[in-house]
Amino acid sequence: MSDIATALVNGQVTDYVSIADRGLAYGDGVFETIAVADGKPCLWKKHTDRLIYGCKQLGIVFNNLDELEKEVFTLSRNAQSNGVIKIIITRGVGASGYKTQPSAKPSRIALLQHRQTFSEQLYRNGVDVCFCKQRLGYNPTLSKIKHLCRLEQVLARMEWQDEYHEGIMFDYYNNAIEGTMSNLFIISDNVLKTPKLDNCGIQGVMREWILEQCQRHNIAVKQQTIDRQAILEADGLFFCNALIRVWPVRSIEANSYDVAVVHRLLRSFAFSEVGIAL
């Protein structure tokens, strides 16, 4: 069953996208998933900054940000309470084959979706996590952006059903990079650490917001390589993204963690800026 309430394709209310669209054929595009709170899209500027950066990395000439903003804010006001806006920008309709057409007009898709609800207890009590077998490949050109090719995450998420809430993904050099749908932070010796994303991984908007909060509150934070042993020896760790906000970890398979370590670190953060009160 679809969770889409309203779909706009190039400004028109429709659920039709051409079968010749390169987003469908090759995953040739980028997307953003934006939380809506009180009729407004949260962290809008951060989402659009990443969207534009992703388009530039892929060589997609997207010049319709003003139209997209109007559509997103209208959809957000129409959300009954808290919804989700998903934006997809593709290179547009093109001929078969990998060669791009300079004349191609990007497709602009904005969806208002019903928001999946997560229990507040997941923040209060923490989540259960596993280590994923599926690895992330290196590609510095595609690192940090939220492109449409997410098969690595799909395969990783197939590794469990409902016994875990999230899984940690590694690269082929055994460095922890992120969760299947989130960014990762660990707390060790009173220092907050998050994996570097130079060669793979998504630069999440919530991750960037948390880094800014650390700077605002003079909290030491490092972006560095993190291996499995560092995770197992961490004092605490958590996941974050634009929809779940923050999930402290209470266990990784047989290893337990004190979620209070995460709560103490985050309690000074201005979470009201992202539409929640923790």
Side-chain angles (χ1 to χ4, degrees):
M1 180 182 296
S2 173
D3 63 350
I4 297 173
T6 306
L8 298 177
V9 179
N10 297 320
Q12 302 299 312
V13 179
T14 179
D15 57 3
Y16 168 80
V17 177
S18 171
I19 59 172
D21 194 289
R22 290 177 62 92
L24 176 62
Y26 306 117
D28 191 358
V30 295
F31 74 105
E32 295 289 328
T33 307
I34 306 171
V36 176
D38 300 323
K40 297 179 181 179
C42 299
L43 298 174
W44 172 245
K45 181 64 164 55
K46 292 188 183 301
H47 280 289
T48 55
D49 285 349
R50 184 174 62 181
L51 183 77
I52 296 302
Y53 175 74
C55 286
K56 288 182 178 178
Q57 286 296 97
L58 297 182
I60 296 174
V61 181
F62 178 64
N63 297 319
N64 299 103
L65 184 58
D66 289 343
E67 290 89 339
L68 177 64
E69 181 170 348
K70 292 176 183 177
E71 293 163 5
V72 168
F73 275 77
T74 297
L75 290 175
S76 298
R77 287 193 296 270
N78 292 340
Q80 290 185 349
S81 54
N82 292 333
V84 173
I85 302 292
K86 184 170 185 177
I87 299 168
I88 303 172
I89 306 296
T90 79
R91 199 178 302 275
V93 174
S96 60
Y98 294 132
K99 182 180 179 181
T100 61
Q101 303 295 323
S103 60
K105 182 180 179 181
S107 297
R108 181 181 79 254
I109 302 169
L111 309 173
L112 172 60
Q113 300 175 307
H114 300 295
R115 186 170 174 179
Q116 181 181 358
T117 58
F118 299 103
S119 171
E120 186 179 311
Q121 294 303 312
L122 296 179
Y123 171 76
R124 300 299 178 192
N125 300 331
V127 297
D128 301 312
V129 177
C130 65
F131 290 123
C132 295
K133 297 181 178 66
Q134 174 64 43
R135 299 301 177 103
L136 292 165
Y138 265 34
N139 193 327
T141 302
L142 297 179
S143 68
K144 301 181 181 179
I145 71 174
K146 204 163 184 180
H147 57 77
L148 292 174
C149 302
R150 303 257 64 96
L151 286 178
E152 292 169 331
Q153 286 76 14
V154 171
L155 292 173
R157 185 57 185 85
M158 290 171 63
E159 294 180 20
W160 79 92
Q161 295 301 314
D162 298 321
E163 65 270 32
Y164 299 112
H165 299 96
E166 179 60 301
I168 297 175
M169 299 188 70
F170 294 80
D171 63 21
Y172 282 92
Y173 293 90
N174 297 316
N175 299 310
I177 302 297
E178 60 191 3
T180 64
M181 63 173 183
S182 59
N183 287 116
L184 172 69
F185 285 83
I186 72 170
I187 303 169
S188 180
D189 298 325
N190 295 317
V191 177
L192 186 61
K193 302 174 183 179
T194 190
K196 293 194 298 183
L197 304 176
D198 295 339
N199 297 300
C200 57
I202 295 176
Q203 185 168 289
V205 297
M206 195 66 184
R207 176 183 184 271
E208 294 305 295
W209 183 84
I210 287 172
L211 292 175
E212 289 176 0
Q213 291 288 308
C214 288
Q215 184 177 19
R216 181 184 300 179
H217 294 284
N218 296 315
I219 296 172
V221 60
K222 295 181 179 180
Q223 300 182 51
Q224 64 178 65
T225 56
I226 296 173
D227 60 18
R228 183 181 299 239
Q229 194 61 32
I231 291 173
L232 294 176
E233 295 176 353
D235 301 315
L237 61 156
F238 62 90
F239 294 102
C240 65
N241 74 22
L243 299 186
I244 66 171
R245 303 316 205 278
V246 172
W247 278 354
V249 173
R250 67 182 178 188
S251 73
I252 301 179
E253 297 174 354
N255 302 279
S256 299
Y257 300 86
D258 183 4
V259 300
V261 173
V262 175
H263 292 160
R264 285 195 294 270
L265 177 84
L266 299 179
R267 62 187 166 194
S268 61
F269 286 13
F271 281 99
S272 59
E273 293 181 3
V274 290
I276 53 173
L278 294 179

